[in-house]
Amino acid sequence: MLGQTARRLILPLTSPVGSIRTVTTPTPQVVLTYDDGPVPEDTPGVLSALSDAGATATFFVLVARAEREPSLLAEIVAAGHEVALHGIDHVRLTTLSPGEVLRRTREGKERLEQMLGAPVRWFRPPYGAQQPATWAAIRRCGLESVVWNRTGYDWQDDPVGEVAERTLAGASAGDVILMHDGHAGLDVGVDDGPAPGFSREGLARAVLGGLAERGLAPVSLGEAVGTGKAVKGAWFRK
């Protein structure tokens, strides 16, 4: 999850040092992404909502949780969703040396690929926190850094309707939407406080319904770039 007080520097989209922020698409699609799972409390409900909507998403998983919940990881794949790496745990990478970022990211990629039996293409740094050296370490692992351009701040404990409204406000084709199917906590190396009390499934259904009303089809990042093109921009924050 993104810390509310995180400092951010976003440079022009023409920058050669880039993280994926949006996608140009030939059809009205948005990229739906989920972070911090899989967890038994939230992931099954999110999968149910996606199935009912006929939508696909990219799940940026934490390896420590995926290894504890291999059946949930298998359910994500069986449902036709894309799996990407969010890290071994949820430790902020900008607190680590570039060498440690390289080691941990490479190890996380290898462990996740072993579980999936397939290559992993995308990486989203926890909290979206990366500096140039962090970004370079991610690229050395053969991964593309993926951030976002739209979120409803679903780590805040607000009513589902309010969170959904924030997520949908101004939504347009090519958006990369950040959502969560879990809450980072002590089991993944951080203390982000109590999880929001709302239903993640309920939020997923509200957002999916709102996207449908706007004529926007939610797809995974891999599906979107298969017919469109990733748009990158430099994104650095502590």
Side-chain angles (χ1 to χ4, degrees):
M1 296 179 306
L2 169 67
Q4 289 177 255
T5 59
R7 296 173 58 194
R8 178 170 64 176
L9 171 62
I10 302 179
L11 300 182
L13 290 173
T14 53
S15 171
V17 179
S19 298
I20 296 173
R21 292 174 54 197
T22 61
V23 178
T24 57
T25 63
T27 58
Q29 297 176 332
V30 295
V31 176
L32 197 57
T33 67
Y34 279 92
D35 287 9
D36 293 358
V39 295
E41 298 83 2
D42 295 307
T43 305
V46 169
L47 290 174
S48 177
L50 290 168
S51 176
D52 288 348
T56 59
T58 298
F59 285 79
F60 287 88
V61 305
L62 296 171
V63 173
R65 287 180 168 173
E67 289 176 338
R68 286 197 297 270
E69 302 291 344
S71 62
L72 280 181
L73 186 68
E75 285 183 38
I76 292 170
V77 174
H81 303 295
E82 183 177 44
V83 174
L85 179 63
H86 197 30
I88 293 176
D89 51 30
H90 209 271
V91 170
R92 191 181 295 269
L93 297 185
T94 51
T95 66
L96 307 173
S97 70
E100 182 66 3
V101 173
L102 178 66
R103 184 194 69 78
R104 289 164 59 92
T105 305
R106 182 174 288 157
E107 179 186 338
K109 180 175 184 283
E110 291 173 354
R111 286 163 62 178
L112 184 56
E113 288 180 338
Q114 184 174 13
M115 284 185 284
L116 294 171
V120 173
R121 187 176 182 183
W122 318 117
F123 177 81
R124 175 173 284 156
Y127 305 101
Q130 65 180 3
Q131 292 293 295
T134 312
W135 177 88
I138 293 165
R139 292 295 293 126
R140 284 182 64 189
C141 294
L143 294 164
E144 287 276 8
S145 176
V146 180
V147 286
W148 60 90
N149 76 311
R150 184 164 305 283
T151 183
Y153 304 95
D154 64 342
W155 50 89
Q156 297 178 6
D157 194 8
D158 296 322
V160 162
E162 291 183 15
V163 182
E165 185 176 350
R166 290 197 299 258
T167 306
L168 294 164
S172 60
D175 284 348
V176 175
I177 301 174
L178 168 65
M179 298 181 71
H180 294 81
D181 65 320
H183 179 77
L186 295 175
D187 67 309
V188 285
V190 298
D191 183 4
D192 282 346
F198 60 76
S199 163
R200 298 241 178 233
E201 177 180 356
L203 176 60
R205 291 187 184 278
V207 170
L208 289 164
L211 292 172
E213 290 173 359
R214 290 162 173 76
L216 297 170
V219 298
S220 68
L221 179 57
E223 187 174 345
V225 300
T227 56
K229 182 179 180 181
V231 178
K232 299 179 181 180
W235 167 297
F236 302 122
R237 62 169 46 156
K238 294 182 178 180

